[in-house]
């Protein structure tokens, strides 16, 4: 599903060049759940960005569902990201002033779907993330756990094959983190490919995690 | 430039806007030249990445430029029409255009500019749909051409407005196009009946060519249709718009008295020809038939033909006779 | 596609409403000022031309030493004979300065009660009162009436005759306010009385008005008169029209040039305003990018946003100006363009929507407006999603 080939990322040039990732190679199969473990600054979120085509590699390539996402023009890169990848962030990154429904609308707009299908997709994602009862609540008024579920719903609304999570439990208390992991398990059950970048040891103990990859100073 | 002409609301606004567009055009030109020199989509260097981002700015400016020019063209025609009140002898834009020897050439240049801008927009669409920016170079070269045309146009605009005089009388449209004028005769010794026959035949031919997917022939037919349509309007259909058999003028119909119908009429003809020609041009570049554009062309020409015929039919229904 | 896109567009507009509100307000005020100015000039121009249309095609007057002098009836009869001239009328009018009112003069116009071919304007001016006017009654403009009233001439006025002595005239009524622009300081009195005040001998006129209905004959007739009489001047209505046109074009032109400078300032403010967008806007862009929005999608969103704000501001300013000028008769601003004559002009602006002017102003506004935000918007849309979300 995700294939990373000889991926490097530097910032700056010449002597001031700072290497963030160095010749990374990684293969994640469909339906696999992989935990990317590393301290902060180890380059794990850069790797996530590169996988989603949010950043361009200095060397190497990333393939998502066979498409070389890192080599495509922005329009197609965005389309790939929109279709295949759902993001869940540490800081949720929701639009605080908008309702849950409106937050879920955002990823659907580039697809130019008819209104009926938009509503169907939103309802389905809300059900799956167990937040349907808060559909018209403004995000600011949600609790931390509800926000997280809203973020999951948004990640699911386009029915992507891959879910990328960046420190998903950092802002959650114990109970909500447990709830979150249960939801992840459901997603895995539904056949999604999961990649979780975290330094939370909680994930290493989970039964549905297939693999733990440790990243250190830009190397695996 | 005479102060009177410079101080005309329309002229002043036109010059201000044209200056802005020229400045932005120059800005985009720098980007386009950079792209021409350095573009390498395969590279993974920061320079290429920043160039890709820059190409969006260039694109944005050109889109802005083209849309602004599309809006400015009818505006320019409107302004000429208004200038007719200042220039002795002119009753409509016809006299004003003829007031300077290259007036007609300037109008043609402006149309050419719109045409190239439109082609650029279509090419850009195709470029974005592909996965490796295949037309980035062609687009940039085309823009350099557009920029040169824009420069030429701006120079000619100024020279044209400078050449207009509120003292020397010009000819009015009835002299230029009318019974006593020099351009009154139809080309190739055509009669009105033959002209109309040709007009409707050419129009009927277009859907057939569309169905046969004959893109190049369609463009050719449209080229001929442009001329035939022009003469048919000036010599026949126009007289029904004015409801006066001697009133032959392509410009008077742009005026308020005729509900500005000229803008719609000439606009639809231009669009029809534009889509057909652009389809042929892109077909040659991309090596794929542009059926959608061809279809637009036929629709636009249908609107044009319908509009022309409407005036004749409505006159006949109202008065029971033809002119 | 349209549905959810515009739904989201409205949401983001609403979300950034405070940011947009200031832009909107500035732009609307700007458009309001410009549009009101041009409405006032346009309206005055239109009225002037309507008035002019009522005027005779030619006015002929005799010259002596290059100065106009009274013309006699012989010339009037001779002009009548020219082919193509359908009506000829001797006119008596002139300036009368009352020694009591310093700096203020009146325009005296003589009307002949028995003359059927009054000019079309005069006929309209006097339609209501004319029939019942007696030889020692006169009509005045509203402004004159007010001025006289302030000086205790409630119902009658005392003229100083040219030959000496005084002449009492009763103020029988006022002329229509619609003609204020053209006849603000006018007094209409019987022709014979006007001659007495102005000092014209019996049977002479100030000038002669000719009516020529066929446009194509105008030049021929003018040439005929000039070649037949060496000592006359022919005032051509077409020349007058051109002169008025120039005057009004210059007025709008100067106003517009000044406005352009203001517009430039506005564009700069807009540029800096959009360049220093809040970090929350950057974060918004970053989120949308991570959700799969392409740069194109973002540019489209921002483009529509700009167009919406610009167009709403434009419509707001334009409509406000329309109400201000045509509804409230442009207090303050109207003064600038009407000018302060000796008598204040009380003018009623007639509503007139000119689609050409609308389009002109819209383009003049929206093109620089969009131009100002292009570069900042691009810069915002291309920032990396990662740095935007920090």
């Amino acid at each position: 599903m995700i294939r990373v080939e000889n991926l490097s990322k530097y910032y700056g040039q010449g002597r001031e060049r700072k290497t963030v990732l160095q010749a990374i190679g990684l293969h994640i199969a469909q339906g696999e759940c992989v935990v990317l473990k590393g301290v902060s600054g180890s380059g794990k979120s850069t790797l996530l960005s590169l996988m989603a085509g949010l950043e361009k590699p200095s060397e190497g390539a990333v393939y998502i569902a066979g498409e070389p996402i890192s080599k495509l023009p922005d329009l197609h890169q965005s389309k790939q990201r929109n279709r295949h990848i759902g993001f869940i962030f540490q800081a949720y990154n929701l639009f605080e002033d908008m309702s849950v429904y409106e937050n879920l609308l955002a990823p659907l707009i580039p697809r130019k779907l008819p209104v009926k299908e938009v509503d169907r997709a939103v309802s389905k994602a809300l059900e799956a993330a167990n937040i349907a009862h808060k559909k018209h609540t403004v995000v600011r008024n949600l609790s931390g756990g509800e926000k997280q579920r809203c973020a999951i719903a948004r990640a699911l609304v386009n029915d992507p094959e891959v879910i990328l999570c960046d420190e998903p439990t950092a802002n959650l208390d114990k109970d909500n983190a447990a709830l979150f992991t249960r939801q992840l398990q459901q997603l895995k059950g539904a056949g999604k490919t999961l990649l979780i970048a975290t330094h939370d040891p909680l994930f290493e103990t989970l039964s549905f995690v297939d693999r733990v990859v440790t990243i250190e100073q830009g190397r695996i | 430039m005479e102060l009177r002409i410079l101080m005309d609301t329309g002229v002043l606004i036109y010059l201000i806007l044209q200056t802005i567009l020229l400045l932005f055009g120059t800005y985009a030109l720098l980007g386009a030249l950079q792209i021409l020199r350095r573009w390498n989509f395969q590279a993974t260097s920061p320079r290429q990445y920043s160039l890709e981002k820059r190409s969006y700015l260039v694109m944005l400016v050109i889109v802005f430029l083209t849309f602004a020019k599309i809006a400015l063209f009818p505006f320019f025609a409107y302004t000429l029409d208004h200038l007719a009140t200042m220039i002795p002898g002119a009753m409509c834009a016809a006299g004003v255009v003829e007031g300077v020897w290259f007036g007609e050439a300037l109008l043609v240049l402006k149309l050419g500019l719109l045409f190239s801008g439109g082609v650029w927009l279509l090419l850009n669409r195709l470029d974005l749909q592909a996965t490796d920016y295949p037309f980035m170079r062609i687009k940039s070269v085309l823009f350099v051409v557009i920029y040169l045309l824009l420069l030429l146009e701006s120079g000619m605009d100024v020279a044209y407005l400078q050449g207009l005089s509120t003292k020397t009388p010009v000819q009015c449209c009835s002299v230029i196009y009318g019974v006593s004028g020099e351009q009154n005769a139809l080309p190739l010794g055509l009669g009105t009946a033959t002209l109309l026959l040709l007009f409707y035949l050419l129009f009927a031919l277009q859907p057939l060519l569309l169905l046969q997917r004959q893109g190049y022939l369609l463009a050719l037919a449209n080229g001929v249709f442009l001329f035939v349509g022009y003469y048919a309007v000036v010599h026949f259909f126009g007289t029904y718009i004015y409801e006066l058999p001697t009133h032959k003028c392509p410009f008077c119909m742009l005026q308020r008295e005729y509900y500005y119908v000229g803008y719609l009429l000439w606009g639809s003809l231009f669009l029809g020809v534009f889509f057909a020609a652009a389809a042929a041009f892109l077909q040659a570049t991309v090596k794929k038939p542009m059926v959608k554009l061809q279809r637009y062309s036929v629709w636009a020409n249908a609107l044009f033909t319908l509009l022309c015929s409407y005036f004749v039919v409505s006159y006949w229904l109202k008065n029971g006779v033809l002119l | 596609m349209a549905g959810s896109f515009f739904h989201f567009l409205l949401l983001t507009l609403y979300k950034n409403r405070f940011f947009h509100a200031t832009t909107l307000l500035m732009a609307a005020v700007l458009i309001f000022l410009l549009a009101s100015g041009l409405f006032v000039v346009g309206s005055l121009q239109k009225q002037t031309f309507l008035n002019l249309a009522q005027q005779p095609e030619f006015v002929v007057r005799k010259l002596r030493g290059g100065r106009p002098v009274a013309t006699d009836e012989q010339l009037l009869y001779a002009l009548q004979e020219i082919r193509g001239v359908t009506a000829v009328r001797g006119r008596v009018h002139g300036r009368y300065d009352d020694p009591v009112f310093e700096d203020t003069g009146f325009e005296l116009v003589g009307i002949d009660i028995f003359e059927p071919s009054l000019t079309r304007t005069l006929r309209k001016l006097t339609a209501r009162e004319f029939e019942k006017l007696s030889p020692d009654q006169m009509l005045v403009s509203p402004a004159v009436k007010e001025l006289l009233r302030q000086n205790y001439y409630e119902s009658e006025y005392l003229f100083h005759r040219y030959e000496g002595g005084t002449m009492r005239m009763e103020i029988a009524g006022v002329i229509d306010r619609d003609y204020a622009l053209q006849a603000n300081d006018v007094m209409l009195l019987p022709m014979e009385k006007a001659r007495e005040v102005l000092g014209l001998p019996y049977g002479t006129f100030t000038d002669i008005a000719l009516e020529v209905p066929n446009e194509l004959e105008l030049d021929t007739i003018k040439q005929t008169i000039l070649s037949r009489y060496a000592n006359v001047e022919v005032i051509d209505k077409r020349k007058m029209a051109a002169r008025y046109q120039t005057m009004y074009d210059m007025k709008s032109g100067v106003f517009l040039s000044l406005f352009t400078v203001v517009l430039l300032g506005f564009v700069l403010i807009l540029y800096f305003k959009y360049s220093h967008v809040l970090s929350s806007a950057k974060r918004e862009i970053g989120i949308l990018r991570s959700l799969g929005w392409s740069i194109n999608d973002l540019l489209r969103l921002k483009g529509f946003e700009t167009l919406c704000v610009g167009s709403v501001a434009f419509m707001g300013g334009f409509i406000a100006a329309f109400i201000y000028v045509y509804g409230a008769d442009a207090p303050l601003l109207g003064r600038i363009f009407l000018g302060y004559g000796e008598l204040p002009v009380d003018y009623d602006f007639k509503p007139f929507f000119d689609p050409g002017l609308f389009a002109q102003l819209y383009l003049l506004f929206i093109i620089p407006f969009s131009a100002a935000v292009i570069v900042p918007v691009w810069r915002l849309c291309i920032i990396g999603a990662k740095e935007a979300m920090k």
Side-chain angles (χ1 to χ4, degrees):
Chain A
M1 196 64 211
I2 307 174
R3 205 166 79 238
V4 177
E5 278 178 6
N6 192 28
L7 192 70
S8 301
K9 181 72 186 172
Y10 329 118
Y11 290 111
Q13 276 177 327
R15 202 170 291 171
E16 283 166 30
R17 193 167 94 164
K18 192 171 153 262
T19 306
V20 183
L21 292 176
Q22 182 74 59
I24 303 266
L26 187 64
H27 186 94
I28 300 174
Q30 181 153 13
E32 203 176 3
C33 178
V34 176
V35 169
L36 194 60
K37 194 173 164 242
V39 293
S40 55
S42 59
K44 55 186 192 307
S45 60
T46 302
L47 181 57
L48 246 50
S49 291
L50 283 164
M51 282 178 176
L54 285 172
E55 272 187 89
K56 304 264 190 177
S58 304
E59 272 168 43
V62 179
Y63 296 84
I64 300 266
E67 293 275 353
I69 192 165
S70 57
K71 277 239 171 81
L72 290 173
D74 173 73
L75 197 68
H76 296 271
Q77 214 168 47
S78 303
K79 201 184 268 176
Q80 295 292 329
R81 179 160 65 241
N82 188 267
R83 297 281 152 84
H84 300 302
I85 299 173
F87 257 113
I88 297 170
F89 300 97
Q90 168 187 5
Y92 316 126
N93 279 327
L94 297 166
F95 298 113
E96 298 274 323
D97 306 327
M98 297 185 189
S99 72
V100 173
Y101 170 76
E102 288 155 357
N103 265 281
L104 263 63
L105 211 53
L108 291 167
I109 287 166
R111 301 187 68 164
K112 302 175 182 171
L113 296 171
V115 177
K116 242 185 198 162
E117 281 183 48
V118 168
D119 282 341
R120 194 180 313 139
V122 170
S123 302
K124 206 176 140 199
L126 288 173
E127 290 296 331
N130 199 14
I131 186 89
H133 57 291
K134 297 276 182 184
K135 185 174 172 185
H136 294 294
T137 310
V138 175
V139 168
R140 191 185 296 109
N141 301 330
L142 294 178
S143 71
E146 285 166 341
K147 281 182 185 176
Q148 182 68 291
R149 273 181 280 157
C150 176
I152 296 173
R154 189 176 65 179
L156 290 177
V157 75
N158 265 341
D159 197 20
E161 292 95 332
V162 180
I163 307 275
L164 300 179
C165 307
D166 193 1
E167 301 281 4
T169 53
N171 283 356
L172 296 178
D173 58 34
K174 234 186 192 144
D175 292 343
N176 276 316
L179 193 67
F180 176 70
T181 54
R182 273 207 296 285
Q183 280 182 319
L184 280 184
Q185 189 164 14
Q186 277 172 16
L187 293 180
K188 182 172 158 64
K192 306 278 180 205
T193 310
L194 301 174
L195 180 62
I196 304 150
T198 185
H199 63 265
D200 191 341
L202 168 74
F203 287 95
E204 292 169 52
T205 61
L206 295 172
S207 58
F208 61 90
V209 172
D210 300 309
R211 204 156 29 127
V212 177
V213 178
T214 309
I215 185 163
E216 223 171 305
Q217 285 179 340
R219 288 166 197 274
I220 285 181
Chain B
M1 205 177 299
E2 282 182 44
L3 195 61
R4 273 192 68 182
I5 289 178
L6 177 68
M7 281 291 154
D8 175 75
T9 319
V11 171
L12 205 56
I13 293 178
Y14 178 80
L15 288 176
I16 294 167
L17 295 182
Q18 180 76 6
T19 312
I20 294 176
L21 296 186
L22 199 60
L23 284 176
F24 268 78
T26 312
Y27 192 57
L29 181 78
L30 298 178
L33 290 177
Q34 217 174 20
I35 287 171
L36 272 179
R37 264 213 324 269
R38 307 241 156 103
W39 185 265
N40 175 13
F41 185 60
Q42 292 315 313
T44 54
S45 60
R47 197 172 70 188
Q48 171 63 18
Y49 293 149
S50 85
L51 210 54
E52 276 171 38
K53 287 178 174 178
R54 208 179 159 77
S55 78
Y56 274 92
L57 179 61
V58 175
M59 183 186 88
L60 197 58
V61 171
I62 299 176
V63 169
F64 167 69
L65 213 65
T66 310
F67 278 106
K69 285 308 275 182
I70 290 172
L72 271 187
F73 183 75
F75 177 77
F76 187 76
Y78 177 84
T79 303
L80 290 189
D81 218 35
H82 181 72
L83 284 181
T85 57
M86 286 184 205
I87 292 172
M91 305 293 285
C92 68
V96 184
V97 171
E98 300 286 325
V100 180
W101 63 269
F102 55 84
E104 279 181 343
L106 179 58
L107 277 192
V108 173
L109 174 64
K110 280 173 186 293
L111 284 175
L113 204 54
L114 287 192
F115 188 89
S116 354
V119 168
W120 194 94
L121 288 186
L122 293 172
L123 199 60
N124 184 47
R125 238 183 113 79
L126 292 176
D127 193 38
L128 289 179
Q129 276 164 7
T131 51
D132 55 351
Y133 295 114
F135 308 124
M136 194 50 98
R137 249 164 223 290
I138 306 179
K139 260 165 57 182
S140 303
V141 171
L142 182 60
F143 178 66
V144 174
V145 174
I146 291 177
Y147 182 77
L148 293 178
L149 288 179
L150 190 69
L151 265 189
L152 182 65
E153 186 211 14
S154 306
M156 273 171 85
D157 277 339
V158 173
Y160 172 77
L161 291 170
Q162 213 141 30
L164 279 182
S165 161
T166 55
K167 309 232 162 42
T168 349
V170 297
Q171 292 171 325
C172 91
C173 59
S174 56
V175 178
I176 302 169
Y177 301 95
V179 195
S180 55
E182 52 194 66
Q183 295 175 23
N184 61 338
L186 287 168
L188 308 170
L190 284 170
T192 310
T194 350
L195 182 72
L196 286 181
L197 190 67
L198 204 59
F199 177 77
Y200 282 107
L201 274 181
L202 269 172
F203 171 65
L205 182 66
Q206 291 173 32
L208 294 179
L209 289 175
L210 172 70
L211 289 177
Q212 297 291 316
R213 301 278 179 268
Q214 295 291 340
Y216 296 116
L217 283 180
L218 185 68
L220 188 68
N222 266 276
V224 184
F225 190 64
L226 178 65
F227 281 94
V228 174
Y230 171 78
Y231 282 105
V233 168
V234 172
H235 288 271
F236 181 75
F237 295 114
T239 59
Y240 284 89
I241 296 175
Y242 308 129
E243 308 197 328
L244 197 70
T246 51
H247 194 167
K248 295 179 174 177
C249 177
F251 291 101
C252 281
M253 59 185 77
L254 300 175
Q255 291 176 336
R256 193 188 177 93
E257 288 94 307
Y258 309 106
Y259 305 104
Y260 303 109
V261 72
Y263 290 102
L264 185 60
L265 196 77
W266 293 127
S268 57
L269 178 63
F270 176 78
L271 275 184
V273 175
F274 166 74
F275 281 127
F281 178 83
L282 291 178
Q283 188 171 350
T285 318
V286 186
K287 316 275 183 255
K288 255 196 316 197
M290 300 282 144
V291 182
K292 215 172 175 183
L293 292 179
Q294 292 164 8
R295 206 171 290 143
Y296 291 156
S297 159
V298 173
W299 279 116
N301 282 331
L303 175 67
F304 172 70
T305 312
L306 209 66
L307 208 59
C308 285
S309 314
Y310 162 76
F311 285 100
V312 180
V313 172
S314 112
Y315 186 86
W316 185 72
L317 287 178
K318 265 190 279 180
N319 301 300
V321 284
L322 293 176
L323 282 174
Chain C
M1 162 250 167
S4 28
F5 178 77
F6 287 107
H7 185 160
F8 200 77
L9 176 65
L10 287 179
L11 285 174
T12 51
L13 278 173
Y14 180 73
K15 192 170 167 231
N16 301 318
R17 60 193 176 281
F18 297 114
F19 178 82
H20 295 311
T22 45
T23 316
L24 203 85
L25 200 69
M26 276 196 293
V29 167
L30 208 66
I31 287 300
F32 170 77
L33 285 177
L34 176 69
S36 334
L38 293 181
F39 284 164
V40 168
V41 176
S43 182
L44 292 179
Q45 182 174 14
K46 196 163 182 297
Q47 190 61 50
T48 305
F49 278 90
L50 279 179
N51 292 344
L52 201 63
Q54 309 285 336
Q55 301 286 332
E57 276 71 34
F58 292 123
V59 171
V60 178
R61 53 186 188 183
K62 254 190 168 158
L63 299 179
R64 183 174 294 156
R67 289 178 190 281
V69 292
T71 59
D72 43 45
E73 282 177 322
Q74 272 88 18
L75 181 61
L76 186 118
Y77 296 132
L79 291 175
Q80 190 122 49
E81 296 307 311
I82 297 175
R83 267 176 185 278
V85 177
T86 53
V88 171
R89 194 168 35 77
R91 305 195 303 186
V92 172
H93 59 92
R95 191 138 193 94
Y96 173 72
D97 291 304
D98 189 315
V100 175
F101 307 116
E102 269 180 62
D103 304 327
T104 305
F106 303 113
E107 183 72 17
L108 259 51
V109 177
I111 47 176
D112 191 341
I113 309 172
F114 305 109
E115 172 66 71
S117 62
L118 282 173
T119 66
R120 281 159 281 188
T121 313
L122 272 180
R123 217 177 290 146
K124 272 194 182 163
L125 278 178
T126 57
R128 270 169 283 150
E129 323 275 347
F130 186 69
E131 304 298 329
K132 31 186 190 325
L133 216 57
S134 76
D136 40 341
Q137 286 184 320
M138 65 171 180
L139 302 173
V140 297
S141 74
V144 171
K145 167 94 175 162
E146 178 58 21
L147 182 75
L148 293 182
R149 200 189 57 75
Q150 282 168 4
N151 289 281
Y152 309 108
Y153 289 113
E154 291 284 354
S155 61
E156 48 180 34
Y157 176 65
L158 211 59
F159 282 102
H160 293 260
R161 254 194 288 222
Y162 187 79
E163 306 284 354
T166 55
M167 183 179 84
R168 194 174 294 275
M169 292 294 286
E170 194 188 324
I171 303 166
V174 292
I175 60 171
D176 210 329
R177 203 162 80 102
D178 285 357
Y179 293 88
L181 194 61
Q182 173 192 29
N184 196 40
D185 53 357
V186 102
M187 285 174 156
L188 298 175
L189 55 169
M191 204 172 254
E192 211 37 59
K193 301 281 181 179
R195 283 201 184 102
E196 274 182 54
V197 176
L198 296 170
L200 288 170
Y202 178 80
T204 61
F205 302 103
T206 315
D207 51 32
I208 299 168
L210 305 185
E211 287 184 15
V212 181
N214 188 348
E215 241 177 67
L216 297 175
E217 289 176 346
L218 288 173
D219 285 321
T220 334
I221 289 170
K222 188 175 173 183
Q223 285 311 313
T224 313
I225 299 171
L226 286 175
S227 59
R228 220 177 269 181
Y229 307 97
N231 55 349
V232 301
E233 177 188 23
V234 178
I235 298 161
D236 189 336
K237 184 163 88 174
R238 292 169 298 172
K239 282 262 169 65
M240 302 267 291
R243 204 171 306 145
Y244 277 125
Q245 178 83 49
T246 312
M247 186 182 90
Y248 283 115
D249 280 345
M250 291 295 262
K251 275 189 181 185
S252 338
V254 169
F255 190 65
L256 206 60
S257 319
L258 288 176
F259 175 79
T260 307
V261 180
V262 181
L263 188 69
L264 193 70
F266 173 69
V267 162
L268 283 178
I269 292 174
L270 210 61
Y271 174 80
F272 287 117
K273 193 163 177 271
Y274 271 76
S275 298
H276 296 284
V277 281
L278 309 165
S279 54
S280 69
K282 282 189 192 167
R283 192 168 158 267
E284 186 184 306
I285 295 293
I287 296 174
L288 290 175
R289 292 285 281 149
S290 74
L291 296 178
W293 282 52
S294 63
I295 295 177
N296 270 38
D297 292 324
L298 289 172
L299 290 176
R300 187 176 305 130
L301 182 75
K302 292 285 157 192
F304 273 104
E305 227 177 83
T306 310
L307 220 55
C308 276
V309 173
S311 301
V312 167
F314 179 81
M315 287 306 294
F318 196 86
I319 291 172
F322 204 86
I323 294 169
Y324 168 73
V325 173
Y326 296 119
D329 284 336
L332 298 175
L333 193 71
R335 287 272 80 85
I336 297 171
F337 289 97
L338 286 169
Y340 264 113
E342 291 131 353
L343 293 170
V345 182
D346 181 12
Y347 179 65
D348 184 19
F349 292 94
K350 294 270 180 301
F352 171 67
F353 176 70
D354 179 1
L357 183 65
F358 181 81
Q360 277 181 335
L361 289 187
Y362 185 67
L363 282 182
L364 175 65
F365 171 69
I366 205 76
I367 289 181
F369 186 88
S370 329
V373 304
I374 278 187
V375 177
V377 159
W378 165 78
R379 211 171 280 149
L380 182 65
C381 290
I382 54 140
I383 45 173
K386 214 178 148 212
E387 57 191 290
M389 280 186 291
K390 265 173 193 163

